[in-house]
Amino acid sequence: MDSTTEYAIQTKDLNLWYGDFQALFDVDIEVKQGKITSLIGPSGCGKSTFLRSVNRITERLGYVRTEGKIEVMGHNVLDPEVELTQLRRAAGMVFQRPNPLPLSIRDNVLFAYRLKNGGKGSRADEDQVLEKALSEVLLWDQVKDRLGLRATRLSLEEQQKLCIARLLPVKPSVLLMDEPCSALDPEATRAVEELIWRLRGDYSILIVTHNMAQARRASDECIFMLMGKVVEHSKTVEMFVTPKHQETADYLEGRFG
Amino acid sequence: MSEVDVRGFRAESLDHRNQRNQRLFQLMFGLMTVVLIVPVVIIISLLVVRGGPALSWEFFTAYPAANMTAGGIFPALVGTLWLVAVALAVSLPLGVAAAIYLSEYAPDNLLTRLINLAIINLAGVPSIVHALFGLGAFVLFFEFGTSILAASLTLAIMTLPVVIVSTRETLQAVPQSFRVACWSLGATRWQTIRKVVLPNSLSGILTGIILEVSRTVGETAPIMFTGAVFFLPFLPQGVMDQTMAMSLHLYNVATQVTGVPESLPYGVALSLIGMVILLNSVSIAFRIHLRRIKKW
């Protein structure tokens, strides 16, 4: 299959049910490589569900049924032969509440890396990976002297940056972010947004957000969802200036949601 | 002028009544708690006063003598340690494994619910029934004879629900967000359990051990028919031997033998409680240590 496709994520006729409740209806979404795409819409519109179906973390619930096609870097991830652990490393996920593991900073950053390599590597190799990942998220200078500290004792901003950093050593192609700033104060939000903007280009990023201002200033493209359907997908500047649908305009102007 | 200005936040009759009730209930709950600890205090002080004089170095290191009316408890002490150790060696891996399955793997379906129901029921089975089951299954059917193995297996089955339930609860107390984080980093369920869930559950598992040890040490009925005996002039050499045990020894000197000095059964009872406290203090100390390093 062709992995040099233009799209990092591409879905076709994606339908998803939680038990009897249908959460996604014929969702066709394309996320361009190297760009930041934000997913907006009112609570319960299916944007988080969509995000979670990309790395198939939805399946832990057991009663979820997915139909259609989800391609990540040109490979259908719903294929029964797909190895979930591989998929999840290729499509890294950042959660709403920073969720570092109750381990040291060092062990957090190297967690996925060690899983991928089947164990600990040499000290020199790990040190290098550690520094690179933490530098990429602008955290290295702040934590380099306390790498043995429990990650759960960092500030929320630092925790969230760490949660991004721990994805990087396994070289993901896609970063899925579920309201990554909603648990942070304005100052930390700005810092994490800047970081996400820095990662643009090297990674294809899909962000779910409730924050219109954030979608507007920190994304290339914008997808508006409503009731499990995609209403509009356009360049961010266009959507905020000249929305094509009345519902989009209403939502953006705060008339509902 | 508003009402507040006039009255200046002074208590009204309704406030007085609420205050009175509040004091009344606080007093009542306090009294109930005191009532609860009274029996414990009485039991322990009675044992110390009456049994204390019987304790001596010799009491712990000597064999019973003069048809159980004199001497010490050494073989019973050693026998109980055997029983506890073998029972733990069986029930701990079994119970923890079952708890891990139920908490981390089992889908929420009819079978799982039946298993849970069975565990609860197992906890409710009277110990004499376990004793007869042990006699039928381990002593006779598997032909272990009356032995430490048969007695410990009986004790293990009896205490399994305790281990399973306390372990399962502690596993479920580990925040779900850790598991999701792990899975999203490409960890399998087992890797998640081994690296994150279990290390953060050790203190709860230790609680299960504490409960199990307390119960195992004290049980009499299940070991009477399966491995514990009235008197042995030597120590057990292996799991296929019979043994004396503290709980059965207490039962015997208290009810089955005549001419026992009064302090002897009290001394045995005091030693039994002391033994439980001693065994448990090891896990309690370890648990305190774990709590100190665990932070999230």
Side-chain angles (χ1 to χ4, degrees):
Chain A
M1 238 184 264
D2 181 20
S3 64
T4 56
T5 161
E6 182 189 356
Y7 300 115
I9 304 170
Q10 189 174 20
T11 67
K12 191 95 191 103
D13 298 328
L14 178 64
N15 287 283
L16 185 144
W17 291 263
Y18 291 111
D20 294 331
F21 174 76
Q22 187 166 6
L24 296 178
F25 296 84
D26 294 328
V27 171
D28 295 345
I29 279 179
E30 283 142 1
V31 176
K32 290 210 182 79
Q33 277 203 38
K35 301 275 194 241
I36 299 179
T37 305
S38 58
L39 258 177
I40 59 172
S43 301
C45 72
K47 53 194 191 306
S48 288
T49 295
F50 176 80
L51 195 80
R52 286 177 204 154
S53 62
V54 174
N55 73 350
R56 289 175 59 184
I57 202 88
T58 40
E59 288 173 20
R60 71 190 174 83
L61 293 171
Y63 52 87
V64 170
R65 191 159 55 88
T66 316
E67 278 175 11
K69 200 164 163 192
I70 307 173
E71 286 188 351
V72 173
M73 304 306 285
H75 301 280
N76 184 10
V77 303
L78 296 178
D79 193 313
E81 279 169 28
V82 161
E83 170 64 33
L84 277 182
T85 55
Q86 296 272 0
L87 167 64
R88 286 172 185 168
R89 283 193 284 265
M93 187 164 242
V94 180
F95 296 83
Q96 192 167 356
R97 271 206 74 78
N99 57 354
L101 296 168
L103 305 167
S104 67
I105 295 174
R106 184 187 173 88
D107 289 341
N108 261 282
V109 177
L110 293 169
F111 193 84
Y113 186 72
R114 287 170 180 163
L115 289 176
K116 188 182 179 184
N117 296 329
K120 288 191 183 186
S122 74
R123 184 83 191 183
D125 171 56
E126 287 198 341
D127 282 345
Q128 199 191 348
V129 170
L130 186 67
E131 181 172 349
K132 184 161 179 293
L134 286 171
S135 304
E136 255 187 286
V137 299
L138 311 170
L139 205 56
W140 175 250
D141 289 332
Q142 292 158 51
V143 302
K144 64 176 182 228
D145 299 323
R146 42 181 182 147
L147 294 168
L149 184 80
R150 279 212 158 210
T152 40
R153 297 179 61 181
L154 293 170
S155 75
L156 280 181
E157 175 190 336
E158 290 168 329
Q159 287 188 22
Q160 196 62 305
K161 285 180 170 176
L162 182 77
C163 288
I164 297 174
R166 71 181 174 190
L167 305 174
L168 308 182
V170 292
K171 303 190 169 42
S173 35
V174 177
L175 299 181
L176 306 166
M177 303 194 177
D178 193 355
E179 303 197 40
C181 299
S182 70
L184 307 179
D185 63 45
E187 194 53 35
T189 299
R190 200 183 51 78
V192 171
E193 263 178 36
E194 275 173 14
L195 164 62
I196 295 171
W197 197 252
R198 254 175 67 95
L199 296 172
R200 179 180 174 272
D202 294 333
Y203 306 95
S204 314
I205 302 174
L206 182 62
I207 302 187
V208 163
T209 180
H210 255 115
N211 183 336
M212 290 309 108
Q214 184 177 64
R216 183 166 195 172
R217 66 180 172 250
S219 69
D220 298 295
E221 297 197 359
C222 219
I223 298 168
F224 174 59
M225 287 183 72
L226 192 60
M227 312 280 282
K229 292 176 182 137
V230 175
V231 175
E232 186 164 346
H233 180 176
S234 46
K235 288 205 163 56
T236 302
V237 276
E238 287 169 16
M239 182 176 289
F240 278 88
V241 178
T242 52
K244 291 197 225 26
H245 293 81
Q246 188 58 41
E247 287 121 318
T248 317
D250 287 349
Y251 180 71
L252 293 179
E253 284 169 28
R255 280 199 278 272
F256 73 94
Chain B
M1 250 197 189
S2 78
E3 211 176 325
V4 168
D5 290 330
V6 179
R7 300 199 45 88
F9 304 114
R10 298 293 151 80
E12 296 175 33
S13 63
L14 178 61
D15 299 313
H16 286 301
R17 203 177 78 201
N18 287 342
Q19 287 299 328
R20 206 169 50 239
N21 284 343
Q22 135 71 14
R23 278 194 295 272
L24 185 73
F25 276 94
Q26 184 176 2
L27 189 71
M28 196 177 80
F29 294 137
L31 275 177
M32 299 280 195
T33 312
V34 172
V35 169
L36 262 179
I37 60 168
V38 165
V40 180
V41 173
I42 292 178
I43 291 173
I44 294 195
S45 34
L46 196 72
L47 287 180
V48 170
V49 171
R50 299 236 176 128
L55 301 191
S56 65
W57 179 246
E58 207 216 328
F59 185 73
F60 294 114
T61 54
Y63 281 71
N67 194 23
M68 314 295 260
T69 58
I73 54 167
F74 182 57
L77 206 72
V78 174
T80 292
L81 287 177
W82 267 98
L83 290 171
V84 170
V86 177
L88 265 183
V90 175
S91 66
L92 201 62
L94 213 62
V96 171
I100 290 176
Y101 177 76
L102 289 171
S103 162
E104 307 296 318
Y105 290 98
D108 184 19
N109 59 20
L110 187 67
L111 179 67
T112 309
R113 267 173 261 156
L114 278 177
I115 293 173
N116 279 322
L117 197 66
I119 292 166
I120 294 167
N121 279 319
L122 194 61
V125 172
S127 58
I128 188 69
V129 177
H130 279 291
L132 295 172
F133 168 75
L135 177 65
F138 303 125
V139 178
L140 301 174
F141 183 77
F142 288 110
E143 296 180 351
F144 295 150
T146 49
S147 59
I148 290 177
L149 185 63
S152 288
L153 285 173
T154 311
L155 288 170
I157 286 189
M158 197 184 67
T159 48
L160 256 182
V162 179
V163 182
I164 295 175
V165 170
S166 66
T167 305
R168 191 183 53 191
E169 241 130 68
T170 182
L171 293 176
Q172 282 168 355
V174 174
Q176 189 66 13
S177 65
F178 290 160
R179 294 186 183 85
V180 177
C182 253
W183 296 335
S184 75
L185 289 169
T188 61
R189 274 183 189 257
W190 168 235
Q191 284 167 329
T192 305
I193 293 165
R194 186 161 55 90
K195 289 175 195 290
V196 173
V197 179
L198 273 185
N200 286 291
S201 310
L202 283 181
S203 82
I205 295 173
L206 283 169
T207 309
I209 297 180
I210 292 174
L211 291 170
E212 178 181 1
V213 166
S214 312
R215 217 174 143 199
T216 312
V217 168
E219 280 296 341
T220 314
I223 57 174
M224 263 172 106
F225 309 139
T226 52
V229 292
F230 184 78
F231 177 70
L232 273 183
F234 46 81
L235 295 180
Q237 301 301 307
V239 292
M240 299 314 286
D241 289 350
Q242 297 179 331
T243 183
M244 289 183 72
M246 292 284 284
S247 55
L248 185 63
H249 186 60
L250 173 59
Y251 171 73
N252 288 333
V253 293
T255 63
Q256 305 293 299
V257 186
T258 49
V260 178
E262 200 205 19
S263 68
L264 184 63
Y266 283 104
V268 177
L270 185 59
S271 313
L272 188 60
I273 288 190
M275 196 174 176
V276 173
I277 293 173
L278 207 67
L279 285 174
N280 286 347
S281 60
V282 177
S283 9
I284 291 172
F286 195 49
R287 198 170 61 163
I288 291 171
H289 171 67
L290 283 174
R291 287 237 175 101
R292 202 167 295 149
I293 59 170
K294 175 171 105 173
K295 279 187 194 74
W296 64 56

